[in-house]
Amino acid sequence: MSIRKEVSGLRQDYQNLGLKKSQLHADPIQQFEAWFEEAVQTVQHEPNAMSLATVSEGRPSVRIVLLKGFDERGFLFYSNYHSKKGQDIEGNPQVALTFWWPELARQLRIEGIASQLSTEESNHYFQQRGRGSRIGAWASPQSQIIRNREELEKNVEGVTKRFEGQEVFPCPPHWGGYLVQPEKMEFWQGRSSRLHDRLVYEKAGDSWRIVRLAP
């Protein structure tokens, strides 16, 4: 059976205002903060959703994760260290992040180096999570093959019983945060006729230089 779906006609002509170099902050994290605040006010569902790309043995792998914080150091997310993404990062800490905010016709691409957060910082965030999510972090052998759904539910039942009556319980040693320190950030603003604005921050020693790319 042959299946073919023609999608080449799906297109949208963006009518947004442009992005000028003179409008940008000198620091890309500050520029991200400005765009992120607009996304929070405009995007209906999870403006903090981002794709995370990793590489292992020359093979790329990408998935959606949630940004859980950012500061002058970079961008934070949390995961199981034994997961596919965790294993990839251990072998190659070079990663890429992408945000897509369709309501604003904006895309943000980040390339950088990922490293584990301190145990203290990971545990602090862990205690802020809902109880079910904390139990899940203990119960799920993320990215590992399991026999069926019942096996996972049995794990949850066992962890629930283990920490019964404890509002505060420890963060699993195999779970915690990652910090992505950016080395390159591209701010993409959709424009009419596919003549988009692409402005890139590139690390130059202790400072950043901004260049414009052709769309």
Side-chain angles (χ1 to χ4, degrees):
M1 181 177 66
S2 176
I3 298 176
R4 179 175 179 177
K5 177 67 173 178
E6 184 60 61
V7 297
S8 61
L10 295 176
R11 60 173 59 89
Q12 179 175 340
D13 193 40
Y14 301 116
Q15 301 295 326
N16 301 73
L17 296 175
L19 181 63
K20 298 179 180 180
K21 186 176 179 179
S22 60
Q23 297 173 316
L24 299 179
H25 290 281
D27 186 318
I29 302 295
Q30 293 184 42
Q31 182 61 38
F32 173 83
E33 182 176 19
W35 270 28
F36 187 72
E37 288 302 319
E38 288 187 58
V40 169
Q41 297 300 319
T42 307
V43 176
Q44 294 184 2
H45 302 291
E46 298 186 310
N48 59 328
M50 60 185 184
S51 63
L52 165 67
T54 57
V55 176
S56 175
E57 299 180 348
R59 286 179 172 269
S61 181
V62 66
R63 74 288 287 165
I64 301 297
V65 299
L66 296 180
L67 177 73
K68 290 300 182 179
F70 64 94
D71 55 30
E72 67 281 354
R73 300 173 300 169
F75 305 90
L76 283 65
F77 68 93
Y78 293 82
S79 183
N80 186 314
Y81 293 145
H82 297 164
S83 66
K84 176 66 166 64
K85 70 179 83 66
Q87 293 178 38
D88 286 356
I89 290 171
E90 184 177 356
N92 183 352
Q94 297 183 72
V95 302
L97 307 173
T98 301
F99 292 87
W100 168 236
W101 298 310
E103 292 89 340
L104 296 168
R106 286 176 176 173
Q107 175 182 252
L108 175 62
R109 297 176 57 245
I110 301 166
E111 297 176 11
I113 303 297
S115 59
Q116 291 184 12
L117 292 175
S118 68
T119 301
E120 292 74 21
E121 195 165 359
S122 292
N123 186 64
H124 176 74
Y125 171 73
F126 183 77
Q127 301 306 333
Q128 298 176 33
R129 305 181 87 206
R131 183 177 182 83
S133 295
R134 286 182 284 145
I135 287 174
W138 277 99
S140 174
Q142 191 174 24
S143 299
Q144 305 303 309
I145 295 174
I146 56 176
R147 291 188 299 274
N148 47 44
R149 178 76 186 188
E150 287 70 28
E151 180 181 346
L152 179 62
E153 292 174 348
K154 185 176 181 180
N155 289 348
V156 170
E157 183 179 326
V159 174
T160 300
K161 184 175 181 180
R162 174 183 175 184
F163 295 120
E164 186 175 3
Q166 300 181 46
E167 180 55 37
V168 177
F169 50 90
C171 176
H174 58 263
W175 190 96
Y178 288 95
L179 168 70
V180 177
Q181 296 178 283
E183 297 183 330
K184 183 177 181 180
M185 294 178 61
E186 178 185 326
F187 291 80
W188 182 101
Q189 176 67 68
R191 296 291 300 276
S192 180
S193 302
R194 294 297 187 265
L195 298 176
H196 312 305
D197 287 322
R198 298 175 63 190
L199 290 163
V200 179
Y201 291 78
E202 296 180 331
K203 195 73 173 177
D206 293 330
S207 60
W208 296 86
R209 72 168 186 146
I210 304 174
V211 297
R212 178 179 284 272
L213 301 182

